[in-house]
Amino acid sequence: MMNNVKLGVEVISAHDLKPKDGQGSSNAFVELRFDGQRFRTTTKERDLNPVWNETFYFNITDPNNLADQTLEAIVYSYDKGSQSGTFLGKVRIHGTAFVRYSDALEWHYPLEKRRVFDRVKGELGLKVFLTDDPGIRLSNPIPEMDTSGFLDQEFDDDHMQQRRHDNSAPAPMNDQGGNRRTYRHLPNLDSLPASNIITNAMNQRTSMQQNQYFANAPRPEQQAPRFFGMNIPGMNLPGVMNQAVDYAIRETSPMLGGGRVVGGRVIRSQQPVSTYDLVEKMQFLFVRVVRARDLPNMDIGGGLDPYVVVKVGNYKGTTKYFNKDKNPEWNEVFAFSKDRLQSHILEVQVHDKDLVKDDFVGLVRFDLSEIPTRVPPDSPLAPQWYRLEDRKGDKTKNGEVMLAVWYGTQADEAFPDAWHSDTIAGPEISPSNSSLVRSKVFHSPRLWYLRVNVIEAHDLVPSERARLPDVYVKAQLGNHTARTKPAQARPNNAFWNEDLMLVAAEPFDDHLVLTVEDRVGPNKEETLGKVIIPLASVPKRLDDRPFPGKWYNLQRPSSTDIAEENKKERERFASKLHLRISLDGGYHVFDESTYYSCDLRPSARQLWKPSIGVLELGILSADKLQPMKTRDGKGTADTFCVARYGHKWIRTRTIIDSLSPKYNEQYTWEVYDPATVLTIGVFDNGHLGSNVDSKIGKVRIRISTLEAGRVYTHCYPLLVLHPSGVKKMGELHLAVRFSCTSMVNLMSLYTKPLLPKMHYARPLNIFQTNILRQQAISIVTARLSRADPPLRKEVVEYMCDADAHFWSMRRSKANFYRICSVLQSFLAVGKWFGEVSLWKNPITTVLVHLLFVMLVCFPELILPTAFLYMFLIGIWNYRFREKHPPHMDTRISYAENVHPDELDEEFDTFPTSKGADIVRWRYDRLRSVAAQVQKVMGDIAAQGERIQLLLSWRDPRATSVFLSICLVSAVVLYVTPLPLLAALVAFYQMRHPKFRAKLPAAPVNFFKRLPAKTDYML
């Protein structure tokens, strides 16, 4: 089959190019290079902001290698005298950024340098997309260029215009300005199916990174000794001993699929390495029940309602049943843990469902010692037909069942969708709700910021013409609304020019409803008109470039039919609304706390950079869990884990009736930024016995704290804050590994902005960010709660820290103590210098004097000495670095000594549900705390105002003294060498206590007597 998939590149324009022709301008053209093919645009003479609007099509010779291909767009300036091109800049676009034409957007890329000393500036506007439109005509390729000369007689502008006129064809898109030319280069055609090429090219990168990692596994090495809680001069290193030992994480050395983990390194075993090398290898007995045929009649009226029971010892699983079907098809898989098998016989029984008692139809028996073992990547075991037997072992006349039985591990592709023996044994589990306990991978929707710039409204028609309307515009998208400030309509025209921000999710099926309302009285509004805009018709924008607005005709307030917009007979409203609407894809939409972001990429896929590595998570087990419910008179729990990173959420299977569950499930994510956080939560399944998924605990792992290639195996304490205080709910055993695919790209990210460009070009204030974050969490919660199995609202909100913006006295104190801890190092330096000045240790003071004299005599050594000192401190601290990822600290969180009433306030609803006396007491307490903060802020302001008022003559005598001191200081500094003056000041400051006065120094007394603006305060 002929391959019609091509890479389309639309060269739109360039902006602010570097002049190169010696006359303040350039003769710009663009050369495109991809997969050994080259194209050139026309030359725009003497133009630093050229516009081309020319489209080129490249043939994709190897679609399976598309992710490793790179498109280069190089801008040159044509020099007619030398018949050559001068380099102006280039743009490189990786194959991972190629999208379909429907998702492609115009983007202006900043020009990059080719060499270190190149002088480059400006931007190049491109639109890159993949298309398989068979209507695009093929054309002859443009001849290859000589890279040394770049230009020759063949590149004459008139000649090139004639060639393009002969070979171009209409492009499959529209443009509003300029002439459009289209070029196509298709020398080779592949035989791959066109429907599979784009999908394969998009999905191949993950598997390539995983294969590269498994081929380069780390070698074992001896674990270095660790020291915790060691005090180093000038430094405060937090260690494990800072909090209770029971709340600290423990490093383990489990035997995983890849071998024994010791000190973060894997000691390979003699057995072959499994694909799931971060979890313990578990053996399962898999039974696939495919279908049955020719079942006998069991009911009086003929036929039967068949279902299958798979039984091994005390474990049994049941399929769904079919009404009146003698040839049912189930295609269901059961998985029994081999370690828990209590019998050597497997029975597959067929029953007929009845109202009173189910009838036995027949069974098939298997000896477990004769069942084969399958190891992926072996092909799946083919099912076979088995004749049913009665309970005595005799063959029945009618009835056969198709089965496949084998031994396998969690690496088997049937594992995720199978019914497991540790879940199907629950009394609340039935075939109808079995999906509620299975493992699942979710993808949260891609979110965009919807910007609605409300400019003005004309010809409004209020109900009361004698009154001046007080109108505002309300925007509604789904359940979220935003409104402008009220504006006076004079005369019947209102002006706002205000931005309204909302959050939209793909696919854009919703409609934006804008209503113009008049505030006729307190809590009383009148709708003057509305407009309904399909979200799919809103243009997408990648940067902050301005674009023209659009006038919309308002509908009557009673109109609700969206289709009325296209009816010619509809009575039109004279009122109009001027809007500028766009979907801003240059932002990252926060749906979690800013400090715990799991993804920092912008909404538009075209702006995504290549991944820098792969993150692998092995959820091994949980231990010492607290009972969450009571079943059969004893405490138990039905637990599952949820992990979130980027757009990918995972949910493990639910382990029924166990306080020490073993999951042994492994998952993988691509990493695009090291300043992101992986979040893992443990919950009790609320579908089994309750209506709420109860939280058990949460673990956060920051990617930047992980060493590349190291396997981190630790038991993390599950800490939860209750109204009674902090409580340990158990431990979670995890194995984590971060594999870096490009160390150069990883290190370069540390020099780039944390957020996308739009956050700095058009920043959002804190108030907007918090509101939009709550909208994003609401959208993600609604989407994931509709999945099967669903992720409930309480699970998503707990994973996203939805309540992080609420007031908490405990958090406020914790943040205050964090500030004190930061300032502690500076205070320690000041304390040390004070001890030196007081000659508490004469030897140290003399050495400091000598060091200071050396630095004064050789001032060029000051900065090298300071940096060398910091370097030596860092090298010294390397020995005492933490060998495990950071975890929640109860002391830093101020969770151990918190007052019970403060916890009760933290868990209170918003608005409060407490009584008036408790609210009044808490308000008085808050006022007392705020009074102390107010006093400190006033003191800080007074010190700054005293400095400002030195030259204002507010205190004439103080200003005269200060001016005299300034004049004398200027003369002294002019005639005295600076090193000598610095030495005198330092020796005076470090003079012996015998020469010190007990009262404050004169400069301090003078400063404290200066006036401040406190006299102006009421």
Side-chain angles (χ1 to χ4, degrees):
M1 182 177 179
M2 181 172 293
N3 172 24
N4 290 323
V5 180
K6 296 168 282 294
L7 176 66
V9 181
E10 181 179 351
V11 183
I12 301 171
S13 62
H15 173 69
D16 195 22
L17 295 178
K18 189 77 175 178
K20 289 292 185 179
D21 61 354
Q23 300 178 1
S25 185
S26 293
N27 304 321
F29 70 92
V30 180
E31 178 183 297
L32 301 175
R33 301 177 182 179
F34 177 78
D35 199 10
Q37 308 163 58
R38 297 185 182 182
F39 289 127
R40 288 180 292 180
T41 65
T42 56
T43 302
K44 301 297 181 179
E45 296 185 358
R46 302 184 60 80
D47 192 353
L48 296 179
N49 300 283
V51 178
W52 288 282
N53 287 325
E54 301 177 9
T55 305
F56 303 84
Y57 290 92
F58 292 89
N59 178 54
I60 301 177
T61 57
D62 187 3
N64 293 326
N65 199 29
L66 182 61
D68 295 331
Q69 296 289 344
T70 301
L71 170 68
E72 288 189 351
I74 308 175
V75 185
Y76 295 101
S77 176
Y78 175 41
D79 187 354
K80 295 183 178 180
S82 61
Q83 295 291 309
S84 62
T86 305
F87 179 78
L88 296 180
K90 70 175 183 177
V91 171
R92 291 172 55 89
I93 304 175
H94 296 278
T96 54
F98 298 161
V99 296
R100 298 176 183 271
Y101 175 71
S102 58
D103 296 331
L105 298 175
E106 174 186 344
W107 177 244
H108 290 261
Y109 298 87
L111 294 177
E112 302 175 355
K113 296 181 180 181
R114 182 174 55 183
R115 301 181 182 89
V116 178
F117 301 103
D118 285 343
R119 301 179 62 186
V120 172
K121 72 172 185 175
E123 298 176 341
L124 178 62
L126 300 174
K127 184 175 182 181
V128 184
F129 54 90
L130 296 171
T131 179
D132 56 356
D133 186 1
I136 298 178
R137 290 186 303 158
L138 307 183
S139 61
N140 295 327
I142 296 178
E144 293 288 337
M145 291 185 294
D146 184 6
T147 56
S148 60
F150 291 101
L151 297 169
D152 47 26
Q153 293 295 332
E154 186 180 8
F155 196 69
D156 181 76
D157 192 52
D158 296 336
H159 184 66
M160 294 300 293
Q161 291 282 358
Q162 182 64 29
R163 289 178 57 87
R164 286 167 173 78
H165 182 269
D166 296 338
N167 297 331
S168 62
M173 42 261 190
N174 299 324
D175 193 87
Q176 296 179 354
N179 297 326
R180 185 182 302 281
R181 299 174 177 84
T182 305
Y183 305 87
R184 303 171 181 84
H185 185 183
L186 300 169
N188 297 320
L189 299 176
D190 292 329
S191 59
L192 294 177
S195 59
N196 296 336
I197 293 175
I198 298 180
T199 304
N200 294 338
M202 296 296 183
N203 298 333
Q204 65 175 329
R205 189 171 183 85
T206 302
S207 61
M208 292 169 53
Q209 293 172 343
Q210 293 175 349
N211 295 336
Q212 181 179 359
Y213 167 75
F214 291 124
N216 301 306
R219 297 180 178 178
E221 66 180 23
Q222 187 175 1
Q223 184 180 7
R226 295 178 294 166
F227 301 91
F228 299 104
M230 181 172 291
N231 295 323
I232 299 176
M235 302 296 295
N236 183 18
L237 296 179
V240 176
M241 298 304 294
N242 288 345
Q243 61 176 342
V245 178
D246 193 37
Y247 294 160
I249 68 177
R250 295 184 295 105
E251 187 172 7
T252 60
S253 298
M255 184 66 183
L256 303 181
R260 175 74 64 180
V261 179
V262 178
R265 302 297 176 182
V266 180
I267 301 178
R268 299 298 179 187
S269 60
Q270 300 296 330
Q271 299 179 356
V273 178
S274 171
T275 305
Y276 289 76
D277 63 340
L278 289 186
V279 293
E280 298 177 2
K281 191 174 182 180
M282 299 179 66
Q283 294 288 336
F284 289 91
L285 171 64
F286 290 97
V287 180
R288 180 185 297 275
V289 182
V290 183
R291 56 195 176 101
R293 67 184 179 186
D294 299 332
L295 296 179
N297 296 324
M298 303 298 294
D299 297 336
I300 299 177
L304 77 167
D305 305 328
Y307 68 92
V308 174
V309 176
V310 182
K311 184 177 181 182
V312 183
N314 294 331
Y315 295 102
K316 70 175 182 178
T318 306
T319 67
K320 59 185 176 181
Y321 73 93
F322 292 90
N323 289 321
K324 304 299 181 182
D325 192 349
K326 300 174 64 175
N327 299 285
E329 183 173 351
W330 295 280
N331 198 22
E332 298 183 17
V333 181
F334 299 85
F336 300 88
S337 178
K338 189 176 180 180
D339 297 336
R340 299 184 180 182
L341 296 181
Q342 301 174 355
S343 175
H344 64 281
I345 296 297
L346 166 67
E347 290 187 357
V348 180
Q349 303 175 1
V350 181
H351 292 264
D352 173 33
K353 188 173 183 62
D354 286 333
L355 295 177
V356 180
K357 182 179 180 181
D358 297 345
D359 297 329
F360 175 79
V361 179
L363 60 82
V364 178
R365 290 189 177 94
F366 294 89
D367 189 346
L368 297 184
S369 62
E370 298 179 357
I371 295 177
T373 300
R374 176 178 176 265
V375 179
D378 293 349
S379 299
L381 194 66
Q384 300 179 14
W385 286 103
Y386 295 89
R387 174 72 66 178
L388 295 178
E389 302 175 353
D390 56 19
R391 296 189 185 277
K392 297 180 181 180
D394 299 330
K395 300 293 184 181
T396 59
K397 295 181 180 180
N398 297 323
E400 289 180 316
V401 62
M402 178 179 284
L403 303 171
V405 184
W406 72 96
Y407 284 117
T409 65
Q410 64 265 49
D412 200 295
E413 61 271 8
F415 179 82
D417 297 328
W419 292 9
H420 295 271
S421 58
D422 47 12
T423 60
I424 62 178
E428 298 87 354
I429 298 299
S430 63
S432 59
N433 62 2
S434 61
S435 62
L436 302 178
V437 297
R438 294 182 181 176
S439 59
K440 190 73 173 180
V441 176
F442 308 86
H443 286 276
S444 59
R446 192 144 51 113
L447 304 178
W448 294 64
Y449 282 147
L450 174 65
R451 185 186 297 272
V452 182
N453 180 224
V454 183
I455 303 175
E456 56 183 335
H458 283 184
D459 302 328
L460 299 176
V461 184
S463 58
E464 302 178 9
R465 299 185 181 274
R467 183 182 59 86
L468 193 64
D470 190 17
V471 298
Y472 63 89
V473 177
K474 182 176 70 174
Q476 181 174 358
L477 182 63
N479 298 326
H480 305 120
T481 60
R483 62 179 61 190
T484 64
K485 297 179 180 179
Q488 298 287 339
R490 303 171 181 268
N492 297 334
N493 297 333
F495 181 81
W496 295 277
N497 195 21
E498 186 175 342
D499 284 346
L500 302 179
M501 300 292 292
L502 295 168
V503 178
E506 294 183 355
F508 302 118
D509 297 331
D510 296 333
H511 293 78
L512 174 65
V513 181
L514 296 168
T515 57
V516 181
E517 299 183 0
D518 180 16
R519 183 173 297 175
V520 297
N523 300 325
K524 185 179 180 182
E525 289 84 15
E526 178 187 22
T527 302
L528 303 182
K530 70 177 181 180
V531 58
I532 303 176
I533 304 173
L535 206 58
S537 63
V538 176
K540 299 176 182 179
R541 191 171 61 152
L542 302 182
D543 52 21
D544 61 336
R545 296 176 184 271
F547 62 96
K550 183 178 179 181
W551 287 95
Y552 292 88
N553 294 321
L554 295 179
Q555 303 177 17
R556 290 188 178 278
S558 59
S559 175
T560 58
D561 188 7
I562 299 176
E564 287 188 5
E565 288 287 344
N566 299 326
K567 294 183 179 180
K568 296 182 180 180
E569 64 273 10
R570 179 176 62 89
E571 181 181 359
R572 292 191 173 274
F573 224 17
S575 302
K576 294 184 177 181
L577 187 62
H578 192 194
L579 303 171
R580 188 181 290 114
I581 308 176
S582 64
L583 287 166
D584 290 351
Y587 289 99
H588 168 70
V589 180
F590 287 99
D591 58 352
E592 71 278 289
S593 178
T594 309
Y595 300 105
Y596 310 131
S597 295
C598 61
D599 189 12
L600 298 173
R601 293 175 294 174
S603 300
R605 187 182 177 87
Q606 290 89 331
L607 304 181
W608 292 3
K609 301 298 183 181
S611 63
I612 59 171
V614 176
L615 176 65
E616 297 168 279
L617 170 67
I619 304 177
L620 302 179
S621 61
D623 192 21
K624 303 177 183 178
L625 295 180
Q626 297 293 326
M628 304 300 296
K629 62 185 66 170
T630 302
R631 181 180 296 138
D632 297 332
K634 65 175 184 178
T636 185
D638 307 322
T639 59
F640 65 92
C641 299
V642 176
R644 183 207 183 180
Y645 186 76
H647 292 169
K648 181 179 176 181
W649 296 61
I650 65 97
R651 169 181 176 150
T652 66
R653 69 189 190 280
T654 300
I655 306 298
I656 302 296
D657 199 14
S658 177
L659 297 179
S660 298
K662 291 186 177 181
Y663 304 99
N664 285 309
E665 299 185 22
Q666 183 172 339
Y667 300 93
T668 305
W669 290 267
E670 284 189 300
V671 179
Y672 293 88
D673 197 298
T676 48
V677 176
L678 168 68
T679 305
I680 307 102
V682 184
F683 302 88
D684 179 74
N685 199 323
H687 295 281
L688 310 176
S690 63
N691 296 322
V692 178
D693 290 339
S694 303
K695 60 183 180 182
I696 298 179
K698 181 167 52 179
V699 174
R700 300 191 191 99
I701 300 176
R702 186 169 294 275
I703 309 303
S704 59
T705 62
L706 303 178
E707 298 179 13
R710 179 187 176 95
V711 179
Y712 292 85
T713 53
H714 293 84
C715 282
Y716 296 82
L718 299 174
L719 305 177
V720 177
L721 193 65
H722 292 278
S724 59
V726 65
K727 185 177 181 181
K728 181 179 177 180
M729 304 296 294
E731 294 181 347
L732 182 63
H733 195 189
L734 301 176
V736 183
R737 176 172 56 202
F738 170 62
S739 304
C740 180
T741 56
S742 177
M743 185 58 68
V744 175
N745 293 341
L746 174 61
M747 299 306 296
S748 65
L749 285 177
Y750 282 88
T751 63
K752 296 181 179 179
L754 182 66
L755 298 176
K757 181 180 178 181
M758 280 291 288
H759 287 272
Y760 307 98
R762 298 194 66 174
L764 304 175
N765 57 47
I766 298 178
F767 180 74
Q768 283 180 313
T769 303
N770 290 334
I771 292 180
L772 295 174
R773 174 175 172 263
Q774 294 302 317
Q775 293 183 13
I777 293 177
S778 176
I779 293 175
V780 174
T781 300
R783 290 288 183 88
L784 296 182
S785 63
R786 295 197 298 264
D788 185 26
L791 283 180
R792 287 185 166 182
K793 178 181 179 181
E794 57 270 15
V795 174
V796 178
E797 290 182 349
Y798 182 63
M799 296 290 292
C800 295
D801 290 306
D803 59 346
H805 64 287
F806 288 128
W807 158 259
S808 170
M809 179 68 75
R810 176 189 61 84
R811 290 184 186 141
S812 301
K813 290 183 178 179
N815 291 333
F816 173 77
Y817 292 136
R818 288 171 58 195
I819 295 176
C820 295
S821 178
V822 172
L823 299 177
Q824 184 178 1
S825 58
F826 298 98
L827 296 177
V829 174
K831 182 180 179 180
W832 170 81
F833 184 76
E835 294 178 353
V836 170
S837 302
L838 295 175
W839 288 72
K840 289 189 175 182
N841 190 339
I843 298 178
T844 303
T845 303
V846 172
L847 293 177
V848 171
H849 279 74
L850 295 177
L851 176 64
F852 187 81
V853 170
M854 182 187 66
L855 294 178
V856 168
C857 297
F858 304 96
E860 64 275 6
L861 298 179
I862 296 178
L863 289 180
T865 303
F867 284 110
L868 180 60
Y869 179 69
M870 288 188 291
F871 172 77
L872 294 177
I873 290 179
I875 294 298
W876 175 263
N877 292 339
Y878 181 80
R879 299 172 52 198
F880 313 105
R881 70 190 187 281
E882 295 186 0
K883 299 296 179 30
H884 54 77
H887 188 52
M888 300 177 185
D889 193 306
T890 54
R891 292 193 177 182
I892 294 179
S893 304
Y894 199 70
E896 292 184 348
N897 301 321
V898 62
H899 194 275
D901 185 73
E902 295 177 359
L903 285 177
D904 185 65
E905 180 184 15
E906 183 173 346
F907 283 91
D908 192 10
T909 58
F910 187 84
T912 181
S913 58
K914 300 296 181 180
D917 294 338
I918 296 178
V919 174
R920 186 181 299 109
W921 184 85
R922 289 175 178 172
Y923 176 67
D924 293 339
R925 181 183 62 186
L926 183 62
R927 289 178 61 188
S928 64
V929 174
Q932 299 297 327
V933 177
Q934 171 183 295
K935 183 177 181 302
V936 173
M937 294 175 61
D939 293 341
I940 295 175
Q943 308 307 322
E945 291 167 353
R946 285 170 176 168
I947 298 176
Q948 291 180 340
L949 297 178
L950 272 175
L951 301 177
S952 65
W953 294 91
R954 173 57 57 189
D955 186 342
R957 287 168 293 277
T959 303
S960 301
V961 172
F962 180 71
L963 295 180
S964 302
I965 294 175
C966 291
L967 180 61
V968 173
S969 300
V971 175
V972 172
L973 292 175
Y974 183 77
V975 300
T976 306
L978 184 60
L980 177 60
L981 185 63
L984 293 177
V985 172
F987 289 152
Y988 175 79
Q989 187 66 28
M990 294 185 291
R991 65 191 183 277
H992 198 274
K994 292 182 178 181
F995 303 101
R996 293 178 180 271
K998 295 183 179 180
L999 299 178
V1004 176
N1005 298 330
F1006 177 78
F1007 182 77
K1008 288 185 176 181
R1009 291 178 177 275
L1010 294 175
K1013 291 184 179 180
T1014 52
D1015 302 334
Y1016 296 88
M1017 299 292 293
L1018 290 176

